[in-house]
């Protein structure tokens, strides 16, 4: 349940309607409250010198100016800003826009402030009574608050213009995505506490499973063609304890699952009936696109995507690609110091219940980070050099031989690609020099 | 203004009737119209201009947006609109109500109309300015001016005679490499600036030698050593904290202490223009600007490259006064990607130009006219001609800066090495 709520919450935060509608409701409440206060505290206006003290015409004029101008500003700025964002996304980020910049809380608050000011002014405007009818009535305090809201809207407008022009700059987009990546690594992987030498993960898991598991375990099949966004492991554990099952998760968040594809293997097979299967299936959350929730590689892919787009010959922007490489290097260093969670999950009694083979390894991250940038950027000396420099910088962070080997392999492929693709000997010599630096760094670490 | 109106009212009010002749309703309508239109204009123009700059940035590189944001004119324009709006709102607010003709704030309304006219003028300026500033030659010129300014900040232009310093490796204590204590960074980011005065102060206070491992523009990974301190026992938490504060990290490089970044901006414009997706023939301005920038660097580097080692204590007799000034070594690296697709198509303008491309350079301020500078520029452009096109020019940039550095190096070597005072701070020129 918690994970579903989390998903709903993330969806709400990432959409444009959530904060603005909250603020609109707030504005209605504030207008009502202020009018009430005005009705009760008649003597207050005279005592406070700075409160609006004019007649009904003036009050109407002030309120209608604020309401009208704020509304037209909101309409214009937002529609045009969306045009700017979509233009920028064509060049820099494909889907980064939907998850990072476009729906930031800042933009929602700006839109919300505009709409709330408009609603507030409209509601207060209703209560101003002119001279000709029953009697003059001006809610002085409410009008003052209306003007204050108008000034606040101005402040947000300035912030918004600044914010938009900042957020469509490539380095800031890259930094935002890198920041996401950083916090998800932090979230998903606890800090490395010593290195246990023990047997490899594969052997450990195999030893823990009962004989014949691979052949005879009952499958739980997917009911959707979709991306697996998250797995509710607490729910899996609960069902497994309730029915005394041993489960092995066969896929991972971020993978595209076909209808009928195997999500889980259940042991013993005879205890997996339709009802249990349904309950287990409900622990898997699907969606039309990958999200950050449990998917560290997604953020890596976003950085890589920005870099690869920047390298396309139609754009020719090696600087953005280098920017991404710097950030990927920092993320790899960060990741190297972290321990992947154990694949074996025990229940409270210490009995093995769920096996989740974490597929995110350092070597996998290295390949995910560099493969495509290397392939698309191999004819560019500057990008090649930066790949090798990044690898040399990550090398001291790599904790073991396996990790260093992964880095060295990537560096070797980069250097080899450069030998074929770069025609100028001097450039090739630059690359060779960086390649030797990587080798030195690997030797120093080992 | 309202205060003035109050005073003035004691005089016969017909004296000011020419300022504003309407009644109270009319004055409110005027103020409301001005306020409403100002805020709408501000919203519309700025968002549309951001769209225009986004479009331009797909052609000239995302970093062009920075130039737009730093522009003082644009900020003044936005400020004028908003000030007019606030002014009208406040006048409207304080005067609404009474119907007595003598309460009409004639002066305030007149000033509001004046401000509205001023805003109109500013609007016209803004439209003109925005349209002009997204044209390729102007963008290139703008970045070129930035480059000149950055080089000017960076190199003093004075010849360095006394107090030449030997290479950092020679002046460091022998056991520095083995013993020095690394001072790690707490975050990742681009190094935007280094507060060398602060570092010098703490080095002097704790009596340590610091070697800085990064220069502005480098990417610093969390945990890597920003600097090494020696001797290790005196390099304590105070020094570590000061080092951490002195290194300013951010999301992107800035031109403040980073000449290479400005060169990169120019290179980026050229590289993008060369992309087959744009098919925009390279502007001669782009290339000339590169060559000109290179010449500027050449000229100034030949004048004075900053010293890698800084001494604390009293400057030795005869030392140049800028001995302790916080400056960094130059790192102008021309970009290998600037290369024309088809050199045969582009028989460099310089080649059929007997004076070399430099002769047709747009004037770049007063310094551009200096005789030695012109000679250098001509030299650089001619040097580029055989290579034909951008590669040659950027090559010339690299060559120019390089040879100048080399020359500055010889000058340093030739000068007598004075070792009075104690060394505190060295900037590692080898890295990068």
């Amino acid at each position: 349940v918690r994970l579903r709520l989390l998903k709903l919450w993330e969806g709400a935060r990432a959409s444009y309607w959530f904060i603005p509608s909250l603020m609109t409701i707030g504005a209605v409440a504030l207008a009502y409250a202020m009018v009430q206060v005005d009705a009760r505290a008649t003597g207050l206006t005279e005592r406070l010198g700075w409160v609006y003290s004019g007649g009904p015409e003036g009050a109407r004029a002030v309120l209608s100016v604020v309401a009208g101008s704020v509304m037209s500003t909101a309409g214009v700025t937002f529609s045009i800003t969306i045009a700017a964002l979509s233009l920028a996304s064509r060049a820099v980020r494909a889907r980064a826009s939907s998850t990072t910049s476009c729906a930031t809380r800042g933009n929602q608050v700006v839109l919300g402030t505009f709409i709330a000011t408009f609603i507030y002014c409209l509601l207060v405007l209703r209560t101003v009574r002119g001279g000709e009818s029953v009697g003059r009535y001006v809610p002085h305090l409410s009008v003052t608050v209306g003007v204050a809201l108008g000034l606040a809207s101005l402040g947000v407008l300035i912030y918004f213009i600044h914010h938009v022009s900042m957020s469509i700059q490539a380095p800031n987009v890259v930094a935002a995505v890198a920041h996401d990546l950083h916090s998800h690594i932090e979230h998903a992987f606890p800090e490395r506490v010593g290195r246990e030498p023990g047997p490899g993960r594969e052997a450990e898991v195999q030893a823990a499973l009962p004989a014949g598991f691979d052949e005879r375990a009952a499958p739980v099949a997917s009911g959707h063609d979709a991306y697996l966004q998250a797995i509710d492991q607490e729910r899996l554990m609960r069902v497994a304890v309730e029915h005394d099952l041993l489960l092995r998760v066969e896929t991972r968040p971020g993978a595209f699952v076909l209808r009928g594809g195997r999500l889980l293997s259940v042991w013993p097979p005879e205890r997996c009936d339709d009802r249990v299967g349904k309950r287990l299936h409900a622990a898997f959350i699907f969606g039309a696109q990958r999200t950050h929730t449990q998917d560290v590689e997604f953020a890596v892919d976003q950085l890589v995507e920005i870099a690869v787009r920047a390298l396309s010959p139609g754009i020719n922007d090696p600087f953005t690609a280098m920017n991404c490489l710097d950030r990927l290097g920092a993320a790899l260093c960060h990741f190297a110091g972290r321990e992947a969670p154990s694949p074996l999950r025990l229940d409270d009694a210490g009995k093995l219940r769920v096996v989740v083979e974490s597929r995110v390894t350092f070597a996998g991250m290295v390949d995910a980070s560099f493969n495509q940038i290397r392939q698309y950027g191999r004819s560019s000396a500057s990008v090649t050099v930066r790949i090798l420099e990044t690898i040399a910088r990550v090398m001291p962070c790599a904790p073991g031989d396996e990790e260093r080997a992964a880095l060295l392999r990537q560096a070797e492929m980069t250097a080899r690609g450069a030998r074929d693709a770069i025609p100028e000997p001097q450039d090739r010599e630059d690359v060779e020099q960086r390649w030797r630096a990587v080798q030195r760094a690997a030797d120093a670490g080992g | 203004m309202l205060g003035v109106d109050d005073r003035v009212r004691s005089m016969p009010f017909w004296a000011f009737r020419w300022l504003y002749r309407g009644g109270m309703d009319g004055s409110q309508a005027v103020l409301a119209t001005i306020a409403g239109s100002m805020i709408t204009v501000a919203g519309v123009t700025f968002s549309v201009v951001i769209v225009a700059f986004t479009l331009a940035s797909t052609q000239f590189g995302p970093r062009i947006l920075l130039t737009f944001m730093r522009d003082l004119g644009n900020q003044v324009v936005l400020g004028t609109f908003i000030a007019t709006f606030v002014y009208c709102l406040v006048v409207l607010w304080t005067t609404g109500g009474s119907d007595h003709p003598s309460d009409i704030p004639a002066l305030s309304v007149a000033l509001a109309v004046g401000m509205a006219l001023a805003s109109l003028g500013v609007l016209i300026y803004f439209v003109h300015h925005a349209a002009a500033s997204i044209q390729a030659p102007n963008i290139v010129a703008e970045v070129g001016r930035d480059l000149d300014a950055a080089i000017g900040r960076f190199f003093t232009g004075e010849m360095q005679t006394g107090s030449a310093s030997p290479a950092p490796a020679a002046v460091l204590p022998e056991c520095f490499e083995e013993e020095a204590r690394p001072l790690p960074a707490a975050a990742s980011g681009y190094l935007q600036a280094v507060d060398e005065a602060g570092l010098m102060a703490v080095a002097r206070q704790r009596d340590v030698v610091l070697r800085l491992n990064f220069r502005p523009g480098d990417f610093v990974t969390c945990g890597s050593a920003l600097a090494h301190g020696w001797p290790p026992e005196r390099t304590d938490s105070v020094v570590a904290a000061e080092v951490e504060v002195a290194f300013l990290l951010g999301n992107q490089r800035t031109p403040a202490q980073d000449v290479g970044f400005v060169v990169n901006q120019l290179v980026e414009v050229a590289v993008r223009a060369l992309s087959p997706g744009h098919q925009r023939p390279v502007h001669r301005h782009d290339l000339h600007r590169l060559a000109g920038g290179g010449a500027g660097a050449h000229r100034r580097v030949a004048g004075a490259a900053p010293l890698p080692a800084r001494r604390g204590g009293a400057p030795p007799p005869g030392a140049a006064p800028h001995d302790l000034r916080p400056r960094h070594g130059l790192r102008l690296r021309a970009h290998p990607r600037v290369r024309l697709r088809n050199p045969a198509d582009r028989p460099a303008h310089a080649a059929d130009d007997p004076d070399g491309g430099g002769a047709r350079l747009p004037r770049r301020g007063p310094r551009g006219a200096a005789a030695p500078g012109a000679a250098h520029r001509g030299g650089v452009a001619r040097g580029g001609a055989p290579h034909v096109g951008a590669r040659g020019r950027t090559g010339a940039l690299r060559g120019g800066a390089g040879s100048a550095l080399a020359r500055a190096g010889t000058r340093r070597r030739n000068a007598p090495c004075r070792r009075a005072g104690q060394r505190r701070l060295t900037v590692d020129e080898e890295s990068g």
Side-chain angles (χ1 to χ4, degrees), chain B residues 27-65:
Chain B
S27 77
Q28 279 176 359
V30 167
L31 290 171
T33 309
I34 294 175
S37 54
M38 275 315 123
I39 195 75
T40 314
V41 164
V44 173
T45 42
F46 271 81
S47 19
V48 177
V49 165
I50 286 181
V51 173
F53 273 81
T54 314
L55 266 175
S57 77
T58 59
Q59 249 185 55
F60 303 118
R63 283 147 201 88
I64 299 306
L65 275 166

Side-chain angles (χ1 to χ4, degrees), chain B residues 68-389:
Chain B
F68 167 69
M69 287 185 58
R70 277 212 312 266
D71 191 314
L72 196 65
N74 293 343
Q75 291 179 18
V76 169
V77 171
L78 184 61
T80 311
F81 288 148
I82 287 174
T84 311
F85 173 77
V86 172
Y87 174 81
C88 289
L89 207 61
V90 170
V91 172
L92 201 55
W93 179 33
T94 30
T95 63
S98 111
D99 289 330
H100 197 272
S102 66
D103 282 351
I104 296 171
L107 271 181
S108 306
V109 175
L111 184 69
V113 174
M115 282 176 82
L117 291 180
S119 301
L120 266 188
V122 166
L123 175 68
I124 294 173
Y125 158 78
F126 181 64
V127 170
H128 165 80
H129 179 69
S133 63
I134 52 177
Q135 289 169 21
N138 291 334
I139 289 178
V140 173
E142 186 69 30
V143 185
R145 268 196 295 280
D146 278 0
L147 178 56
D148 272 355
I151 291 175
R153 272 199 305 277
F154 205 78
F155 298 100
T156 52
E158 298 161 35
M159 288 290 180
Q160 251 172 7
T161 45
S163 150
S165 165
V171 299
L172 283 173
E174 272 169 24
C175 43
F176 189 91
E177 286 299 331
E178 297 83 51
E179 286 183 3
R181 187 177 148 209
L183 301 163
S188 299
Y190 287 94
L191 181 55
Q192 292 179 334
V194 178
D195 173 17
E196 291 194 16
L199 286 180
M200 180 62 90
V202 79
R204 204 175 283 174
Q205 183 201 337
R206 295 272 146 180
D207 192 22
V208 291
V209 180
L210 294 174
R211 189 187 68 193
L212 316 187
N213 297 330
F214 292 95
R215 75 182 76 219
D218 285 348
F219 185 79
V220 178
T221 311
C222 179
S224 54
L226 288 173
H228 279 88
W230 186 90
E233 60 276 6
R234 282 204 296 271
T235 311
D236 51 12
S237 57
V238 178
V239 179
E242 181 59 40
V243 164
E244 217 180 294
V245 174
F247 283 72
L248 182 65
L249 300 178
N251 283 347
Q252 49 184 313
R253 297 170 66 175
T254 60
Q257 290 187 5
D258 185 3
V259 182
F261 173 65
V262 191
V263 175
N264 276 356
Q265 283 195 318
L266 269 183
V267 171
E268 179 164 11
V269 174
V271 166
R272 282 184 169 240
L274 289 172
S275 114
H278 287 299
Q279 291 297 2
R280 170 172 155 269
V282 191
H283 272 262
R284 290 175 56 191
H285 302 286
D286 300 3
L287 306 176
H288 287 173
R289 192 49 82 167
L290 280 176
H298 191 166
R299 207 157 61 235
R300 288 177 164 279
V301 174
L307 296 170
R310 321 275 152 84
R311 293 149 204 265
H322 50 266
D323 201 11
L324 301 176
R325 215 167 299 173
R327 293 191 187 280
H328 275 276
L330 171 74
R331 179 172 164 226
L332 284 174
R333 220 170 31 195
H335 209 274
R337 271 187 80 93
V338 187
R339 195 168 301 167
L340 290 177
R341 297 273 146 185
N342 190 354
D345 287 355
R346 214 164 293 286
H349 314 291
D352 27 11
D353 178 352
D355 295 324
R360 289 211 201 149
L361 275 173
R363 258 178 82 94
R364 289 180 305 106
R367 276 200 310 273
H376 278 310
R377 254 184 300 153
V380 170
R382 249 196 298 279
H387 297 279
V388 180

